[in-house]
Amino acid sequence: MAIKLNDMVTVYRYWGGKSPETGSWVTVYRNLSPSQARSLLSLPNTNSATNITEFGIPRDIVIIVGKAASKVTEEWAGPYATGGGIQIYVPNPSVLLRFP
């Protein structure tokens, strides 16, 4: 579902391994363990999810919100990638404001 934000929204990006700190995929979940993040968000094998960065998405930005699909049969993921978690797609990740 595409949504135009009326206010700034705080989001989180789980990253590590070969996945960079900034990217288009973020989530509303703040305190997931790496294994929970990898499972709920169907992260690729190359994302260890050992780091989390807090970002703000400014108002008036259009985002896409939905549930992560299961990727258990995908080569780039694995049996852990059951999905079901809320994910947010930011088409232009340069708009993300990194919080200290």
Side-chain angles (χ1 to χ4, degrees), residues 14-21 38 44-51:
Y14 288 85
W15 59 281
K18 293 184 179 179
S19 292
E21 181 176 20
R38 294 181 79 222
N45 285 328
T46 56
N47 187 341
S48 64
T50 53
N51 303 294

Side-chain angles (χ1 to χ4, degrees), residues 5 7-11 24 26 55-63 88-90 95-97 99:
L5 298 176
D7 293 302
M8 181 178 287
V9 173
T10 301
V11 295
S24 290
V26 294
F55 290 100
I57 305 174
R59 64 178 293 181
D60 296 327
I61 298 297
V62 176
I63 60 173
I88 299 167
Y89 180 74
V90 182
V95 302
L96 295 172
L97 306 172
F99 293 142

Side-chain angles (χ1 to χ4, degrees), residues 1-69:
M1 165 187 307
I3 299 171
K4 184 176 182 180
L5 298 176
N6 292 326
D7 293 302
M8 181 178 287
V9 173
T10 301
V11 295
Y12 306 90
R13 179 162 167 88
Y14 288 85
W15 59 281
K18 293 184 179 179
S19 292
E21 181 176 20
T22 302
S24 290
W25 294 99
V26 294
T27 188
V28 294
Y29 304 115
R30 179 180 180 173
N31 293 313
L32 298 177
S33 69
S35 62
Q36 288 172 319
R38 294 181 79 222
S39 175
L40 281 172
L41 304 172
S42 294
L43 299 179
N45 285 328
T46 56
N47 187 341
S48 64
T50 53
N51 303 294
I52 181 173
T53 301
E54 183 178 29
F55 290 100
I57 305 174
R59 64 178 293 181
D60 296 327
I61 298 297
V62 176
I63 60 173
I64 299 171
V65 180
K67 285 190 177 182

Side-chain angles (χ1 to χ4, degrees), residues 68-80:
S70 173
K71 298 297 181 184
V72 296
T73 60
E74 299 294 331
E75 272 187 37
W76 55 264
Y80 65 86

